[in-house]
Amino acid sequence: RDLSKPVGALTDDRLAQVIERYEQMEAEADMPRFHYGSHYSSAGAVLFWLLRLEPYTSYSIELQSGRFDHADRLFASLEEAWHSCTTSLADVKELVPEFFYLPDFLRNDGGFELGVRQDHKRVGDVVLPMWARSADDFIAQHRRALESEHVSSHLHLWVDLIFGAKQQGQAAQEAHNVFFYLTYEGAVDLESVADPAEREALSTQIACFGQTPMQLFAAPHPPRRPPLPFLRPVHWGAPGVRPFARVPLGVLTAQSRRQHAGPEPQGGSLAIAALCL
């Protein structure tokens, strides 16, 4: 995924539709233009991903008036979910943290009757990509991808979209990252709304249909610094180097150690044992 773009702008075809719809909107004083009517972070999105995990299972049933949603609309396959998130104008949800540490939400360990789809397939465990041997393996690989050097070196671009300089204003417009105005903090003063019915409708919209987090950074977030070379404590060194100084691994070759190693400090074995402890 290109972390410099919001989910709704990941593919050229959908982005063209988003831009066209945005340009056709008429800006109004009480409702500014927006690229996306849905949101990347909402109660519905969380319940979609975590359907098989309590207490989200019970919340999902409550949301659907005492039953599960139609089987064709449930989270059944990662491939299908990715396809929806990259093609549908109404689907721009981000992942939840459980994708990187908790395989349980991918399994229907509770044996819930999630229904049968129109293709006659029963919904049970989430269908994984072919490269994942199990839910545990998928989470392990996903976690490694998150912690990879590629993601680390580009994550600041995603931070700009969600928490930073491209969350609001002209920069958000240029990044195609504008959402419905009620999702932004402080967009409406509920205490000033006199009509109780209108106040309740606004509160429900804010609570259930997505919230943009507080903007934390006004300037572009700096990239993560490159990793430092691996360091390890040593008890040898050239004259003038303190025992147990930290030096990059591999700087001292076996030959240089023999040439420059001074007499081992008294209690060296004890000090090494202390380091191990």
Side-chain angles (χ1 to χ4, degrees), residues 8-80:
L10 288 178
T11 58
D12 293 337
D13 291 342
R14 183 171 63 174
L15 178 57
Q17 298 178 58
V18 167
I19 294 174
E20 180 182 6
R21 185 176 62 178
Y22 179 82
E23 293 177 345
Q24 290 176 352
M25 287 183 183
E26 295 184 4
E28 301 177 7
D30 57 342
M31 192 175 73
R33 295 190 296 177
F34 54 88
H35 290 113
Y36 315 105
S38 58
H39 203 266
Y40 55 80
S41 176
S42 66
V46 174
L47 296 180
F48 175 83
W49 294 125
L50 303 182
L51 171 70
R52 296 162 178 81
L53 195 66
E54 287 286 11
Y56 306 101
T57 305
S58 297
Y59 293 152
S60 299
I61 294 173
E62 182 180 349
L63 181 65
Q64 298 296 329
S65 303
R67 67 187 67 184
F68 286 112
D69 197 4
H70 194 283
D72 285 280
R73 289 196 290 265
L74 299 180
F75 177 35
S77 162
L78 281 162
E79 179 182 1
E80 293 176 0

Side-chain angles (χ1 to χ4, degrees), residues 190-203:
L190 293 176
E191 299 300 326
S192 66
V193 180
D195 185 352
E198 182 181 358
R199 188 186 308 117
E200 179 65 23
L202 289 173
S203 298

Side-chain angles (χ1 to χ4, degrees), residues 222-244:
R224 181 179 178 180
R225 287 177 293 183
L228 295 173
F230 181 78
L231 302 176
R232 70 175 181 183
V234 294
H235 68 278
W236 58 79
V241 177
R242 278 192 309 113
F244 306 107

Side-chain angles (χ1 to χ4, degrees), residues 5-6 14 30 62 79 86 98-99 104 107-108 114 130 132 141 155 160 163 171 179 185 201 211 216 260:
K5 300 179 180 179
R14 183 171 63 174
D30 57 342
E62 182 180 349
E79 179 182 1
T86 53
E98 285 78 0
F99 268 91
D104 304 62
R107 297 188 290 254
N108 187 18
L114 302 177
M130 295 181 62
Q141 295 198 51
L155 193 58
D160 286 342
F163 301 101
F179 293 83
E185 182 186 32
Q211 295 184 36
L216 301 179
H260 300 292

Side-chain angles (χ1 to χ4, degrees), residues 106-140:
L106 298 170
R107 297 188 290 254
N108 187 18
D109 290 339
F112 300 112
E113 291 293 336
L114 302 177
V116 179
R117 300 169 12 139
Q118 293 182 10
D119 58 6
H120 306 295
K121 294 180 180 178
R122 181 170 295 279
V123 179
D125 295 343
V126 175
V127 179
L128 304 172
M130 295 181 62
W131 45 262
R133 298 188 301 272
S134 65
D136 297 81
D137 181 53
F138 172 83
I139 295 297

